[in-house]
Amino acid sequence: MFNAVAEPRRREILDLLMEGERPVNDIVARLELGQPQVSKHLKVLREVGLVDARDQGRMRVYRLNGHGLKPIHDWVSNYERTWSERFDALDAVLEELQDKEARDDES
Amino acid sequence: MFNAVAEPRRREILDLLMEGERPVNDIVARLELGQPQVSKHLKVLREVGLVDARDQGRMRVYRLNGHGLKPIHDWVSNYERTWSERFDALDAVLEELQDKEARDDES
DNA sequence: TTGACATATACCGATATGGGTATATGTTGT
DNA sequence: ACAACATATACCCATATCGGTATATGTCAA
C-alpha cells in the first residue's frame, strides 16, 4: 500500500484522477509515459484498492478511491504531534496541568 | 521520502523511536534484524531527515524528527475529502448552497 | 596499549521494480 | 467479417533494494 504510493508516477496518476475519472489514454496523454507502463501502474493501484475501473465501450475508465489512503493518513497522523503547532499548544496545556497537580500534591 | 517510509522495517524503527531516542543496539534488540541492516535503514532515514543522530560515548543515539513526515501528511490530506465524513458534511452544505443559488437564479 | 564494545561500511547474491517493445484481447463501426 | 482502436499482458534489460557476512572505524576500560 505504502509502496504503491511511493512511486512518483503513481502519485501523478492519483493526482490526475482527483480531477475526475479518466480513461487510460487520457492518462497516457498527460503523463509522458507509454501506454503499457500506465496500464501496469494502474494495475498496481487497482490491486491495493486505490482506484476502481469501469468498462465503457471499448475503453476502461478509472476513478480514484481515496479511501484507500486512510491507513497512510492514520499512520502519519500519529506523528503529527511531533511538528504541529496545534499539538505544541496542547502539550503546553497538559504540561501546565501536570505542574498544577504537582503543586497541589505538595501543599 | 515516500520511499523511505514505504519500507516496513523503517516504519517499525520510526514507531519505535516515537517512544524516545534510542541507541542502535536497542533498536537491533527490538527488531529481529541484524545490526548492519539496522544501520543501513537508519542511514536512509537520516538522509531524508526523518531521524537525527547524536554521539554519546561509543554509541550513537538516534531520535525521531517527525517534521519530515509533513510532506506526506500534506499530500495525503488532499485526499481526505474523498473519504472523511467530516468532508461529506461539508460537501452537503456546499451542494445545498448551490441549489439555493440555482433557485434564486430561476426566480 | 590492548581487548571488548558500538556502529558503519563494503561486498555479495537474490529478488523486485520500472521502462521499452512486441503482441494478445476485446470492442466498435462499416 | 474486417479494420481501427483501446487496453492489457508477456518478455527483456537495467537498476535498485534488502538481507547476510565479513570487516573497518572509533571509543571505552583496565
Side-chain angles (χ1 to χ4, degrees):
Chain A
M1 247 283 329
F2 282 82
N3 230 307
V5 172
E7 241 295 316
R9 320 306 292 261
R10 286 197 280 264
R11 284 202 303 280
E12 284 186 58
I13 292 178
L14 293 178
D15 288 343
L16 198 156
L17 287 179
M18 236 192 318
E19 306 171 2
E21 54 180 23
R22 294 276 185 275
V24 179
N25 265 347
D26 278 28
I27 304 175
V28 172
R30 291 274 209 105
L31 273 54
E32 283 193 350
L33 194 58
Q35 173 267 314
Q37 286 74 39
V38 170
S39 278
K40 273 198 285 186
H41 284 309
L42 285 170
K43 183 179 185 175
V44 173
L45 292 173
R46 208 163 7 119
E47 282 169 353
V48 299
L50 282 172
V51 302
D52 296 322
R54 167 175 65 87
D55 280 353
Q56 175 183 322
R58 51 182 154 185
M59 36 187 167
R60 183 161 295 179
V61 181
Y62 283 87
R63 69 177 153 67
L64 179 64
N65 179 8
H67 191 273
L69 289 175
K70 187 161 162 28
I72 294 184
H73 186 264
D74 290 345
W75 183 81
V76 177
S77 291
N78 287 335
Y79 291 86
E80 197 179 359
R81 64 175 359 272
T82 65
W83 78 77
S84 163
E85 293 181 6
R86 213 153 48 81
F87 282 98
D88 284 352
L90 180 57
D91 284 346
V93 172
L94 291 178
E95 203 168 321
E96 193 169 332
L97 279 176
Q98 282 192 332
D99 288 352
K100 187 168 170 6
E101 268 180 40
R103 281 196 306 277
D104 289 351
D105 287 349
E106 281 173 17
S107 60
Chain B
M1 247 284 328
F2 282 82
N3 230 306
V5 171
E7 240 295 313
R9 322 305 293 260
R10 286 198 281 265
R11 283 202 303 280
E12 284 186 58
I13 292 178
L14 293 178
D15 288 343
L16 198 156
L17 287 179
M18 235 192 319
E19 304 171 3
E21 54 181 22
R22 293 277 184 276
V24 179
N25 265 346
D26 279 27
I27 305 176
V28 172
R30 292 274 209 106
L31 274 53
E32 283 193 351
L33 194 57
Q35 172 267 314
Q37 287 74 40
V38 171
S39 278
K40 273 197 285 186
H41 284 308
L42 285 169
K43 182 178 185 177
V44 173
L45 291 172
R46 207 162 9 118
E47 282 169 353
V48 299
L50 282 173
V51 302
D52 296 323
R54 166 174 66 88
D55 280 353
Q56 173 183 323
R58 51 181 154 184
M59 37 185 164
R60 182 160 296 178
V61 181
Y62 283 86
R63 69 178 152 67
L64 178 65
N65 180 8
H67 191 274
L69 289 175
K70 187 162 162 31
I72 294 184
H73 186 264
D74 290 346
W75 183 80
V76 177
S77 291
N78 287 333
Y79 293 86
E80 198 180 357
R81 63 174 0 272
T82 66
W83 78 77
S84 165
E85 292 180 6
R86 213 152 50 80
F87 282 99
D88 285 351
L90 181 57
D91 285 346
V93 172
L94 291 177
E95 203 169 321
E96 192 169 332
L97 278 177
Q98 282 191 332
D99 288 351
K100 187 171 173 1
E101 268 179 41
R103 283 197 304 278
D104 289 351
D105 287 350
E106 280 174 16
S107 60

